[in-house]
Every structure is written in C-alpha cells, then in structure tokens.
C-alpha cells in the first residue's frame, strides 16, 4: 500500500500473485500494460471526483480490474456521479488517440501499440456495460434515480445486475459444454466477481439507504436557494414512517401532506421532520 497526493493505493493479494505468475509464464509485459491501463482508467474517476469537490479515499487494484473509492458526503448528485463514471472510459479513449498518433508517426512497435489500443477498447466497452458496479451500471442507476424513488432505484438496479451477473456465469459454462473446449476462465471469474459484488451490495441496501437519509440535511437549503418547488407526498396519519421515506427521490425535496380518509389535509410536514422522527423512533427501540 502506498499514498500518492493523499490517496491510498492498495493492491489485492491476488493481484500480486498474478503479477508473480506472469513473470514465470513470460506474460509480464502484457499484464503490466493491461493493469497500467486500468490504473489510468481509475485515476480518471479519481481526478473527476476531486475536481467536482468529492474526497477520493483510495484506489484499489483488484485481480480483475480496479476501483476508486470515493466518499459520499451527500454532495454527489446524479449529474456528478455520471460525470465521474464517464471519466474512466474517457481516459481509455484519450490513450487510444495518443497511440494512434504514435502509429501514424511510426513511433514504437506496431504490434505492441495495437495491443494497447485493443486493451483500452476492451476495458472501456466492458466498463460501459449496464451492470453494477461497472461504470455503465452506475450511469444507469444515476439516471433512474432522477425519476424513481431512491430506495426503489437501489433495489431494482441491484436485482437486475445480479441477474445479469448470473447470466455471465451461465454463458461461460454454456460455452464450455457447447464448444467442447476449455472453460473460458476469464469470463467465468468476471461473472463470479460481479455476482458476489452485487449480492453483497444488495444485502447492504438498508445501510446505504440510511446513509442517504442522514445526508439529506443539505437538500432543503440547496432547493430553497434555487427556488425549486417541493415534491408532494400524500400520506395518512396511521401510515408507518419507513414506507413514506422510501418514496423520497434523490434529486427532489419533499413535503409530506398528511390527509384523513375524507381527503382533508391535517398537516404539511417537511421531509426533515419525517426523517428526524424515523431516527428518533428507531433510537427509542434500541
């Protein structure tokens, strides 16, 4: 583990093992080139996050790629998340452009330059697949959160990603049975990694939703400053608080209208009151 400009760079133990194995098999140059491309891709995410005022905690190099860990203090809007997600593939396209210029100027080994181009295109296109935790999945999740309640967005995007990850595993195994060749281990490992990651994140949705609620304090000031209208939520006096909170949207501020069965408005409450009551209620249970 090392630090660069305050950002922690860590290497997964299996990453080190793969590097050592590549020395033995004679594929070290190809592998280090590929992981350098991945590292630059993740640096693109980190640089975009820093420029948008988000704190970058670390960059982790994993056996099947990398990930930039960014602190979510409630200031990462859907627009910012999309920009951060696109910054990674953008680095790959910039590298492709630079290598094409080198090829045009007859600088470097053409075979190695072609390998760099293919590696960048592969990583960029793979990361743009609409599956979490890939960049494409994050973009889709951010776009859906603009229209659907945040809790619903989390539930369905992770469910769909789990199904897609399982599909990658099934595809790898089916190719093995259909073709009679060796099991496509790289595809299988990627599918297993995506499946495990999505199942773990799906189980952690309640904690992520709680963090979302805790970071809603600045939402009122943000929308009051821009003069935006609050989004209404209709509720009834006996309705539990949690189902009401699950209707909150990421990019909206809400006013809760409490109505009786005759349609008469009994109270109009800002979302902070409901969130505060919810946390107080759960604290008293403890």
């Amino acid at each position: 583990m090392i630090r660069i400009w305050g950002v922690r760079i860590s290497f997964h133990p299996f990453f080190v093992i793969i590097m050592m194995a590549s020395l033995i098999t004679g594929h070290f140059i190809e592998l280090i080139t590929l992981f350098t491309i991945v590292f630059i891709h993740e640096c693109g995410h980190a640089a975009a996050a820093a420029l948008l005022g988000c704190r970058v905690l670390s960059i982790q190099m994993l056996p099947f790629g990398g990930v930039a860990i960014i602190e979510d203090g409630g200031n990462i809007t859907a627009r910012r998340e999309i920009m951060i997600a696109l910054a990674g593939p953008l680095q790959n396209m910039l590298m492709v452009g630079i290598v094409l210029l080198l090829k045009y100027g007859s600088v470097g080994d053409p075979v190695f330059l072609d390998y760099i181009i293919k590696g960048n295109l592969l990583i960029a296109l793979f990361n743009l697949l609409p599956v979490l935790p890939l960049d494409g999945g994050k973009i889709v999740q951010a776009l859906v959160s603009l229209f659907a309640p945040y809790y619903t967005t989390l539930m369905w995007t992770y469910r769909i990603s789990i199904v897609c990850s399982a599909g990658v595993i099934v595809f790898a195994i089916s190719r093995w049975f259909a073709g009679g060749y060796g099991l496509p281990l790289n595809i299988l490992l990627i599918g297993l990694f995506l499946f495990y990651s999505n199942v773990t994140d799906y189980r952690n949705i309640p904690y992520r939703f709680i963090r979302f609620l805790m970071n809603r304090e600045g939402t009122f000031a943000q929308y009051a400053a821009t003069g935006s209208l609050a989004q209404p939520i209709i509720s009834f006096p006996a309705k539990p608080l949690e189902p009401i909170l699950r209707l909150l949207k990421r990019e909206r501020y809400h006013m809760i209208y409490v109505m009786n069965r005759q349609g008469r408005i009994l109270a109009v409450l800002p979302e902070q009151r409901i969130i505060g009551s919810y946390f107080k209620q759960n604290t008293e249970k403890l």
Side-chain angles (χ1 to χ4, degrees), residues 50 61 77 102 160 179 183 200 219 270 278:
M61 297 303 295
T77 61
L102 292 175
I160 292 171
L183 180 66
T200 302
T219 308
Y278 174 74

Side-chain angles (χ1 to χ4, degrees), residues 161-223:
S161 293
I162 288 172
V163 172
C164 292
S165 303
V168 173
I169 298 172
V170 172
F171 172 74
I173 296 174
S174 65
R175 278 191 59 187
W176 181 31
F177 282 109
Y181 303 105
L183 180 66
L185 192 60
N186 55 342
I187 299 176
L188 178 63
L189 291 176
I190 288 171
L192 289 171
F193 171 74
L194 292 175
F195 184 79
Y196 172 79
S197 176
N198 281 298
V199 169
T200 302
D201 288 339
Y202 182 76
R203 290 175 178 172
N204 290 330
I205 284 178
Y207 304 104
R208 184 168 176 179
F209 184 65
I210 291 295
R211 186 174 62 185
F212 163 75
L213 295 177
M214 293 175 67
N215 291 329
R216 294 289 292 179
E217 279 298 321
T219 308
F220 173 73
Q222 173 189 343
Y223 280 89

Side-chain angles (χ1 to χ4, degrees), residues 112-123:
F112 183 62
L113 293 177
D114 285 338
Y115 178 79
I116 295 176
I117 292 173
K118 290 177 182 177
N120 273 289
L121 292 176
L122 177 65
I123 291 170

Side-chain angles (χ1 to χ4, degrees), residues 8-253:
R8 187 172 69 251
I9 312 296
S10 61
F11 301 89
H12 194 279
F14 281 111
F15 173 84
V16 179
I17 293 172
I18 290 173
M19 284 298 175
M20 293 175 65
S22 67
L23 283 171
I24 300 172
T25 57
H27 295 286
F28 180 75
I29 298 298
E30 292 89 341
L31 194 60
I32 198 66
T33 300
L34 200 58
F35 274 99
T36 299
I37 293 171
V38 172
F39 181 72
I40 294 173
H41 175 103
E42 297 304 326
C43 285
H45 293 310
L51 289 172
L52 291 170
C54 306
R55 185 185 173 201
V56 182
L57 300 177
S58 67
I59 295 177
Q60 299 176 359
M61 297 303 295
L62 306 172
F64 315 113
V67 59
I69 307 298
I70 300 166
E71 185 178 54
D72 186 0
N75 62 335
I76 302 182
T77 61
R79 177 175 169 271
R80 288 182 176 182
E81 189 166 357
I82 292 170
M83 292 173 67
I84 293 170
L86 288 174
L90 178 61
Q91 303 310 304
N92 297 120
M93 295 300 100
L94 289 175
M95 283 187 279
V96 169
I98 292 170
V99 174
L100 287 174
L101 288 175
L102 292 175
K103 285 192 68 177
Y104 181 77
S106 300
V107 178
D109 180 12
V111 176
F112 183 62
L113 293 177
D114 285 338
Y115 178 79
I116 295 176
I117 292 173
K118 290 177 182 177
N120 273 289
L121 292 176
L122 177 65
I123 291 170
L125 293 174
F126 172 71
N127 274 280
L128 287 174
L129 291 175
V131 180
L132 291 164
L134 303 178
D135 298 334
K138 293 177 180 177
I139 292 170
V140 170
Q141 188 178 75
L143 289 173
V144 173
S145 71
L146 293 174
F147 308 100
Y150 190 64
Y151 186 84
T152 304
T153 298
L154 293 178
M155 292 292 292
W156 282 104
T157 51
Y158 278 113
R159 285 174 179 173
I160 292 171
S161 293
I162 288 172
V163 172
C164 292
S165 303
V168 173
I169 298 172
V170 172
F171 172 74
I173 296 174
S174 65
R175 278 191 59 187
W176 181 31
F177 282 109
Y181 303 105
L183 180 66
L185 192 60
N186 55 342
I187 299 176
L188 178 63
L189 291 176
I190 288 171
L192 289 171
F193 171 74
L194 292 175
F195 184 79
Y196 172 79
S197 176
N198 281 298
V199 169
T200 302
D201 288 339
Y202 182 76
R203 290 175 178 172
N204 290 330
I205 284 178
Y207 304 104
R208 184 168 176 179
F209 184 65
I210 291 295
R211 186 174 62 185
F212 163 75
L213 295 177
M214 293 175 67
N215 291 329
R216 294 289 292 179
E217 279 298 321
T219 308
F220 173 73
Q222 173 189 343
Y223 280 89
T226 58
S228 301
L229 295 175
Q231 173 126 4
I233 293 177
I234 307 300
S235 182
F236 299 101
K239 191 171 184 178
L241 297 179
E242 188 167 345
I244 299 173
L245 295 177
R246 289 184 178 183
L247 297 175
L248 298 184
K249 293 183 179 179
R250 180 180 186 175
E251 300 288 323
R252 291 286 185 272
Y253 181 76

